[in-house]
């Protein structure tokens, strides 16, 4: 299969996202990065825009405007971004062309006149007056109120469309999140607001819908009659790496569980939507969230990593050794929680969410463990089937199942039906999550972004627990850097029904 | 399971698997008698198989091999005839000698009592002979079954040890002849002494069907008419009758392949879960499901006969009728597709499509379940049907063909597979030949899954006999198809008519470098 040319890909995408409608790709687009001097901008946003530009996936007529308080130039930005841009020698011309379309303005986030100046600049660009405008807030949440108000008051395009992209955190509990949502709803319509959960841009997470709803095989078994439990996992092998101070204000539940893991849970648990249109899909996600009650403290295990005396480098350091972390902080860096979806399809099935930093491996996956085979005839030698979707690293889907032990034997043993993307799709470039998501914003597709009611439900589920943890200053269980986490977590998941035999090793 | 087991480890494990706590009397003497020792099957399959089992220490230590046929042969002559098929390495030369040291040969006539008395005397004279267990393998044309079995019974049965008689297909050529043979055999031997072999049942993937079906929760709810659109059982050979058409012409492809191999696989796919894995319980379920199949009707059958391919090389230029041993103008089918229905609660209305043929485009034997469409489609009709494929040969594999998101910037579905290819996943595992398993099975009397009892056989004949008689009588002209092609297109039409959907969009990609 030959790789498609740039315009072919763009054409196909356009067709996929728009159908027969004429897209507005012939108009001018301006992409404004607020917080252009920050980490996210230089490590993710600028490089992503560059990759999209280079592959011809952005509209022809695109301008990129950076805005921040610092006194910068495009050249300085270029220098800051280059280490993250993975450009090659052949692309130098393209890279120049890219940066020619870039400009930079400095200003204050809380000052209206800065934004008036920004607006004049935008309007002065070729086609600027009628251009479509995307505002990316690569900023700390403390300035969201000001920036969003100022955008609304000074920078909206009157002829083209306007879209505003926000990153998490969206508040820190139900109340603060609702306040922020109310504030944004005053300024923008829902179809102008794009809340990013970058996990929704990952290949395998996007695949969940196709897997579930495009395959007859899974239909009859995707429910409480056949599924014993669902485990959603997110593990990082490194700690807070000197940025613990920032993390300490949030903790692992807000950082990973309430968003990434919960989003994946939605995709696994939801009913089939009426269509693949974004609102139909998001309606189902909200519906399933509404059936989830806040988890009980008894169904939660919290941990905090300590240094590994035998470890090297960072591994020697515990969370509390990070100088930016307040002394005696109880913030968890590890959490396992069990949620239940109280509806007809899932009543009684534990959805186990597990996440943590400084663990033994990097892994994000979704695992459905199925019930035992009823009426066993193999002398209890059959292990449970599992369907595993590995989100990262090394995208794959595999079905762990029993087969006859090959050779002269007759008894069953574990094996897998496997689909490893690196093998099966050798020549396919899997885009970065941000590439997809930013493209989605250009195309006006909100399917992979979080709607306000989704967000409200997600906070409703976790806020009581978070408040309880903070009020009680509950001591997290220590675990060694590089380990699997506290064993109490394994106890919890076994108590609620996950069976771990330890006999199986995935061979791919 | 990464290190290959040592011989005794394998033997020990097997023994445990087959016997559990029962003591296996491996110290007993066993005599394996090959009736028809001079024939093709003996030299190409039986002797080599016995050698491999002997070499790997899978046979009881005290085993002797006695060949019997009409020819005037010696063990050395047999050895010479077998060597090309035995795959002996230099290191094994000594062991090979040990093997042949346990071999002997007797010549005699199949219909003559005296010959069998001689055979018996010879066996008694072997060390431990009088107490030995005896296995009689009839590697013979069916014309001599009556005489040989009668003579075995009258003259050669062990009085102290057990006796087992192994017969190969064909078991008769229709219901009546099969019943006659069964009656004859049961007048001589008890059912647990008779081993009717269908060597397909010894194949790795065919044996795997039971574990796949009954050891996995995920298949439970979908293995029925609600989710399965049709089942296709295929057996294709890429070569013709190769100068042995005369023998084939009496039987035809339906008797050769369909009524036994394919129907056996159908049983394993369609049957209910047995009460246990004991052979009797498994057989009960197979018979039960066979009983629900009505005789196949002519309108659901397509017959073909291969003709030479003018552009082909060597054999491919020759059609079936070009084989000098085939009678002129024979209408015998070398290709058949037939649709069967299992009228029970689980399968009512689901077509079971059996397809087999010689001189086709590839060598392949597989079981394919095609599932129904996804109800309430939301992907613009872009989803193809799921399929679960068990490839019996070549290149054992299981894969589930399904839809996945097209990888990359897209969002739509495309076909892919979840794959288990044995050569990749089980690189170091030796997959034994079907005959190895089956002979081993007879030794241990575990009679797991390689043979079938007379009521299975009777049902299998009941299903096919009416149509075989109709074909024999009316002699319909089979549709010609070219050597090396996919067979007559009428077969594809039939298969589509009854509900198999072929999109042609999918190509299985082996993700591993083999």
């Amino acid at each position: 299969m030959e790789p498609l040319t740039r315009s072919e890909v763009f054409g196909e995408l356009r067709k996929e996202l728009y159908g027969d409608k004429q897209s507005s790709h012939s108009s001018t687009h301006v992409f404004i990065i607020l917080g252009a001097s920050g980490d996210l901008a230089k490590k993710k946003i600028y490089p992503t825009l560059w990759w999209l530009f280079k592959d011809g996936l952005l509209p022809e007529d695109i301008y990129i405007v950076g805005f921040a308080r610092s006194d910068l130039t495009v050249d300085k930005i270029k220098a800051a971004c280059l280490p993250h841009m993975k450009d090659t020698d052949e692309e130098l011309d393209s890279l120049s062309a890219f940066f020619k379309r870039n400009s930079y303005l400095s200003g204050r986030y809380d000052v209206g006149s800065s934004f008036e100046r920004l607006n004049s600049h935008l309007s002065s660009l070729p086609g600027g007056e009628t251009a479509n405008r995307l505002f990316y807030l690569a900023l700390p949440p403390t300035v969201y109120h000001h920036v969003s108000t100022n955008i609304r008051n000074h920078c909206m395009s009157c002829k083209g469309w306007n879209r505003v992209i926000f990153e998490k955190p969206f508040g820190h509990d139900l109340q603060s999140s609702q306040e922020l949502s109310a504030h944004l709803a005053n300024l923008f319509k829902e179809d102008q607001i794009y809340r990013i959960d970058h996990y929704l841009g990952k290949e395998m997470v996007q695949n969940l819908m196709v897997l579930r709803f495009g395959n007859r095989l899974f239909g009859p078994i995707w429910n409480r009659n056949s599924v014993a439990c669902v485990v959603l996992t997110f593990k990082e092998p490194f700690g807070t790496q000197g940025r613990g101070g920032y993390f300490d204000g949030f903790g692992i539940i807000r950082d990973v569980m309430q968003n990434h893991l919960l989003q994946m849970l939605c995709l696994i648990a939801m009913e089939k939507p009426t269509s693949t249109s974004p609102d139909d899909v998001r309606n189902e996600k909200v519906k399933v969230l509404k059936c989830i009650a806040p988890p009980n403290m008894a169904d939660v295990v919290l941990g905090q990593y300590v240094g590994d005396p035998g470890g090297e480098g960072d591994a020697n350091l515990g969370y509390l050794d990070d100088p930016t972390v307040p002394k005696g902080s109880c913030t968890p860096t590890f959490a396992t929680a069990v949620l239940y979806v109280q509806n007809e399809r899932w009543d009684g099935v534990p959805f186990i969410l597990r996440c943590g930093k400084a663990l033994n491996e990097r892994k994000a996956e979704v695992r459905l463990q199925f019930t035992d085979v009823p009426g066993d005839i193999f002398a209890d030698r059959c292990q449970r089937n599992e369907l595993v979707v590995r989100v990262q690293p090394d995208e794959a889907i595999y079905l762990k199942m029993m087969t006859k032990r090959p050779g002269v034997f007759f008894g069953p043993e574990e094996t897998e039906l496997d689909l490893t993307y690196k093998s099966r799709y050798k020549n396919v470039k899997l885009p970065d999550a941000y590439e997809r998501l930013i493209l989605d914003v250009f195309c006006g597709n909100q399917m992979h972004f979080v709607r306000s009611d989704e967000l409200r439900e997600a906070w409703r589920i976790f806020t009581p627990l978070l408040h309880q943890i903070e009020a009680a200053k509950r001591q997290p269980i220590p675990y060694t850097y590089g380990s699997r986490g506290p064993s109490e977590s394994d106890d919890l998941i076994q108590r609620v029904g996950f069976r771990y035999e330890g006999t199986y090793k995935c061979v791919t | 399971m990464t290190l290959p087991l040592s011989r005794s480890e394998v033997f020990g494990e097997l023994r445990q698997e087959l016997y559990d706590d029962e003591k296996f009397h491996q110290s007993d003497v066993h005599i394996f008698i090959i009736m028809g020792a001079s024939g093709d099957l003996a030299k190409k399959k039986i002797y080599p198989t016995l050698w491999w089992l002997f070499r790997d220490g899978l046979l009881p230590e005290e085993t002797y091999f006695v060949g019997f046929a009409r020819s005037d042969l010696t063990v050395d002559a047999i050895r010479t005839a077998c060597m090309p098929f035995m795959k002996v390495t230099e290191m094994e030369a000594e062991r090979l000698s040990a093997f042949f040291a346990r071999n002997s040969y007797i010549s005699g006539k199949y219909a003559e009592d005296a010959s069998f008395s001689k055979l018996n005397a010879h066996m008694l004279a072997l060390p431990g002979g009088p107490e030995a267990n005896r296995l009689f393998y009839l590697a013979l044309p069916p014309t001599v079954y009556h005489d040989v079995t009668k003579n075995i019974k009258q003259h050669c049965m062990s009085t102290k040890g057990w006796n087992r008689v192994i017969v190969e297909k064909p078991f008769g050529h229709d219901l009546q002849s099969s019943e006659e043979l069964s009656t004859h055999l049961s007048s001589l031997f008890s059912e647990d002494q008779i081993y009717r072999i269908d060597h397909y049942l010894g194949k790795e993937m065919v044996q795997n069907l039971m574990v796949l079906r009954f050891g996995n929760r995920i298949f439970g709810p979908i293995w029925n008419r609600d989710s399965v659109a049709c089942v296709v059982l295929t057996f294709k050979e890429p070569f013709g009758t190769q100068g042995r058409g005369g023998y084939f012409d009496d039987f035809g492809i339906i008797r050769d392949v369909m009524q036994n191999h394919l129907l056996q696989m159908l049983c394993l796919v369609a049957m209910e879960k047995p009460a246990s894995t004991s052979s009797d319980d498994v057989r009960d379920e197979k018979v039960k499901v066979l009983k629900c199949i009505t005789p196949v009707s002519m309108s659901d059958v397509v017959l073909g006969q291969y003709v030479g391919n003018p552009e082909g090389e060597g054999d491919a230029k020759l059609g079936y009728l070009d084989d000098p041993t085939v009678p002129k103008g024979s209408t015998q089918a070398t290709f058949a597709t037939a649709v069967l229905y299992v009228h029970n609660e689980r399968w009512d209305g689901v077509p079971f499509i059996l397809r087999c043929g010689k001189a086709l485009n590839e060598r392949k034997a597989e079981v394919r379940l095609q599932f129904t469409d996804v109800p309430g489609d939301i992907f613009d009709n872009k989803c193809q049907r799921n399929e679960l494929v068990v490839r019996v040969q070549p290149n054992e594999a299981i894969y589930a063909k399904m839809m996945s998101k097209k990888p990359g910037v897209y969002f739509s579905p495309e076909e892919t597979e979840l794959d288990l290819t044995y050569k990749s996943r089980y690189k170091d595992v030796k997959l034994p030949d079907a005959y190895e398993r089956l002979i081993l099975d007879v030794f241990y009397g575990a009679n797991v899954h390689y043979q079938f009892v007379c009521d299975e056989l009777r049902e299998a004949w009941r299903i096919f006999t009416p149509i075989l008689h109709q074909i024999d009588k009316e002699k319909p002209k089979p549709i010609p198809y070219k050597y090396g092609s996919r067979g007559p297109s009428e077969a594809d039409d039939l298969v589509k008519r009854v509900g198999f959907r072929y999109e042609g969009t999918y190509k299985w990609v082996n993700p591993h470098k083999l």
Side-chain angles (χ1 to χ4, degrees), chain A residues 28-34 36 41 45-54 58-67 74 77 81 85 94-95 97-105 118 121-122 125-126 132 134 136 438 442:
Chain A
T28 311
H29 292 67
V30 187
F31 194 102
I32 304 103
I33 303 167
L34 296 126
I45 317 296
Y46 277 108
T48 299
L49 289 168
W50 153 238
W51 297 328
L52 292 171
F53 177 84
K54 162 184 84 157
L58 293 181
E60 285 296 316
D61 221 6
I62 177 102
Y63 297 94
I64 298 160
V65 178
F67 180 97
V74 171
I77 291 174
C81 299
M85 274 163 127
S94 212
L95 194 65
F98 174 73
F99 277 108
K100 275 213 186 60
R101 291 178 169 275
N102 265 264
S103 49
Y104 177 83
L105 237 66
L118 174 59
H121 176 75
L122 297 174
L125 295 166
N132 298 312
L134 293 95
Y136 200 118
I438 287 180
F442 272 99

Side-chain angles (χ1 to χ4, degrees), chain B residues 467-476:
Chain B
I467 200 175
L468 287 167
H469 282 178
Q470 195 179 346
I471 291 171
D472 288 339
K473 196 169 91 174
E474 293 169 14
K475 296 199 181 307

Side-chain angles (χ1 to χ4, degrees), chain B residues 144-151 177-189 194:
Chain B
V144 300
Y145 279 3
H146 271 243
D147 288 327
V148 171
T149 48
K150 182 171 67 72
N151 282 324
S177 53
S178 169
E179 290 289 275
E180 279 167 7
L181 176 60
S182 288
T183 307
H184 171 79
L185 289 176
S186 53
S187 71
L188 301 169
F189 309 107
I194 306 170

Side-chain angles (χ1 to χ4, degrees), chain B residues 195 437-451:
Chain B
Y195 284 69
R437 285 182 220 265
L438 147 187
I439 286 179
L440 218 44
D441 195 46
V442 182
F443 265 97
Y444 298 125
N447 37 337
V448 180
H449 297 110
Y450 316 132
Q451 61 282 52

Side-chain angles (χ1 to χ4, degrees), chain A residues 1 4 9 12-13 16 57 203 206-207 209-211 213-218 220-221 225-226 272-276 370-378 381-383 385 387 397-421 423-426 428-431 436 439 447-448 504-508, chain B residues 1 5 10 13-14 17 58 204 207-208 210-212 214-219 221-222 226-227 273-277 371-379 382-384 386-388 398-420 422 425-426 429-432 437 440 448-449 506-507 509-513:
Chain A
M1 231 186 56
L4 297 167
V9 169
E12 284 216 37
L13 249 176
E16 239 190 63
L57 290 170
E203 179 75 36
Q206 294 198 348
N207 201 358
M209 264 191 66
V210 181
L211 279 183
F213 303 125
N215 289 293
R216 186 72 176 83
L217 285 176
F218 295 141
I221 56 171
N225 295 326
S226 295
K272 188 169 190 168
T274 12
S275 77
T276 50
F370 294 88
T371 51
D372 294 309
V373 175
D376 172 58
I377 55 172
F378 291 108
R381 278 147 86 183
C382 290
Q383 319 294 4
N385 293 150
L387 177 65
I397 306 168
Y398 62 93
L399 200 51
K400 178 168 85 72
M401 45 180 269
M402 304 307 295
T403 189
K404 171 187 138 3
R405 186 174 170 190
V408 285
F409 309 96
F410 189 64
E413 74 170 15
E414 286 173 299
T415 190
E416 65 290 319
L417 293 182
D418 171 78
L419 168 57
T420 297
Y421 275 49
S423 309
R424 178 70 166 80
Y425 299 116
K426 282 189 182 61
V428 176
K429 177 205 164 198
L430 289 184
R436 287 181 220 264
L439 218 44
M447 173 161 15
H448 301 117
Y504 172 70
K505 177 118 184 84
C506 172
V507 171
T508 52
Chain B
M1 205 191 85
L5 296 168
V10 170
E13 283 213 38
L14 247 176
E17 237 191 64
L58 289 170
E204 180 74 36
Q207 294 198 351
N208 202 356
M210 262 192 65
V211 181
L212 278 183
F214 303 124
N216 290 294
R217 183 75 175 85
I218 48 178
F219 294 141
I222 56 172
D226 294 331
S227 295
K273 188 169 189 168
S276 76
T277 50
F371 293 89
T372 50
D373 295 308
V374 175
D377 172 59
I378 55 172
F379 292 109
K382 286 195 186 129
C383 290
Q384 320 293 5
N386 291 151
E387 292 182 349
L388 180 65
I398 306 168
Y399 61 94
K401 178 169 88 70
M402 43 180 274
M403 304 308 294
S404 177
K405 173 185 140 1
K406 187 172 174 182
V409 284
Y410 309 95
F411 188 62
S412 55
E414 73 170 14
E415 286 174 301
T416 189
E417 66 290 317
L418 293 180
D419 172 87
L420 168 58
Y422 274 50
R425 178 67 167 81
Y426 299 114
V429 175
K430 177 205 166 201
L431 290 186
R437 285 182 220 265
L440 218 44
V448 180
H449 297 110
Y506 173 71
K507 179 130 183 70
V509 170
N510 189 335
H512 318 280
K513 287 204 178 65

